[in-house]
Amino acid sequence: QRFQTSSAVAQGKAAIQVHEMFRSAAILAGGRPGKRLYGGRCDFMNATLEDKKKGAENIAGAVKKYGEDSPIPIVLHLDHGRDSDSCAAAIAGGYTSVMIDGSSLAFDENVELTREVVKYAHARGVERGRGAGSAGRGWRTMCFQRDPLIPIPLKAVEFFRKTGVDALAISYGTMHGASKGKNVKLRKEIAVAIRECLNHEGIFGALVSHCSSTVPAYIVDEINGLGAR
């Protein structure tokens, strides 16, 4: 557990220092496996809710250690919270932002789950406001239903209105996983249409471009040149 905590401190310190160098606000994300791993349990994939809370505390403590007096805004964000308990564990541990991922659910079920987490998070100060010891902004986000048949702009407006969520990760062609941008076909008009609909209805909400990272071609070539794929 000491090793795991030291690892979290080292990663948090490095990320914060680089962001300070570029004078850029930082959103540091810790996923569900991270909370289990840093909870100090050897078979961390079978971690209990209490283990996850402990892991969240360790990660948050590492970020706070170097972020409390930082000149940049810092947010500690839970990536892909699958249920309300996961989000509650992260908030209890000190996370300032949580994602509730209901993208596998039917729209109405997604709305209910997200609304529950939003209500819980708002009541505990996980909202637009102070981040991890600095003037950060804590957003709760969620992943929107990934169904190309849904008229997304109008559904997105409905989702914001019914849940009160602060930010929404929309599906417009970005891809997760090892693809890292390979064969991606972005439909930017979806994001534009959602923003226009939100503006028309007078609804403020941030749109998140989730799973949108790529690996530059020269790095791919270098890695493959060493025998990888």
Side-chain angles (χ1 to χ4, degrees):
Q1 185 171 357
R2 285 195 299 272
F3 170 77
Q4 292 167 344
T5 303
S6 298
S7 174
V9 170
Q11 292 180 62
K13 179 182 179 181
I16 290 170
Q17 286 180 337
V18 169
H19 280 79
E20 288 177 345
M21 180 173 64
F22 288 104
R23 299 180 181 179
S24 171
I27 300 176
L28 307 183
R32 292 171 297 115
K35 285 201 289 123
R36 293 196 293 258
L37 173 65
Y38 290 111
R41 179 167 174 158
C42 293
D43 59 336
F44 65 90
M45 292 305 290
N46 296 315
T48 66
L49 186 59
E50 290 303 313
D51 294 328
K52 295 174 186 178
K53 288 180 180 178
K54 185 61 179 177
E57 289 175 2
N58 287 335
I59 294 172
V63 173
K64 189 172 183 179
K65 179 179 175 66
Y66 292 99
E68 198 158 28
D69 299 318
S70 177
I72 62 170
I74 299 171
V75 165
L76 179 58
H77 174 68
L78 172 67
D79 191 32
H80 289 284
R82 296 296 185 185
D83 51 47
S84 55
D85 285 343
S86 294
C87 293
I91 293 170
Y95 278 59
T96 60
S97 167
V98 295
M99 169 200 283
I100 177 63
D101 183 353
S103 59
S104 63
L105 302 175
F107 182 81
D108 289 340
E109 293 175 314
N110 196 349
V111 165
E112 287 301 316
L113 174 62
T114 303
R115 183 161 48 200
E116 175 186 349
V117 172
V118 167
K119 183 178 179 180
Y120 184 90
H122 277 181
R124 288 156 182 80
V126 181
E127 59 185 346
R128 288 172 246 161
R130 293 184 64 79
S134 67
R137 296 169 75 82
W139 297 103
R140 287 153 318 287
T141 70
M142 54 72 59
C143 282
F144 190 67
Q145 187 88 352
R146 290 183 175 88
D147 185 343
L149 300 180
I150 289 179
I152 290 179
L154 296 180
K155 281 292 185 181
V157 171
E158 181 183 354
F159 201 95
F160 270 109
R161 182 177 287 123
K162 288 184 174 180
T163 64
V165 75
D166 294 296
L168 179 67
I170 60 173
S171 178
Y172 70 107
T174 56
M175 295 173 63
H176 248 0
S179 62
K180 294 301 180 188
K182 184 178 181 180
N183 300 324
V184 163
K185 294 181 175 60
L186 295 182
R187 296 182 59 195
K188 298 178 183 178
E189 66 275 11
I190 292 176
V192 173
I194 291 175
R195 172 54 58 204
E196 290 296 325
C197 289
L198 291 173
N199 290 343
H200 182 268
E201 295 298 313
I203 297 174
F204 173 80
L207 299 182
V208 178
S209 181
H210 193 69
C211 58
S212 57
S213 59
T214 60
V215 178
Y218 75 91
I219 294 180
V220 173
D221 292 341
E222 180 179 351
I223 293 172
N224 289 345
L226 297 172
R229 288 188 64 188

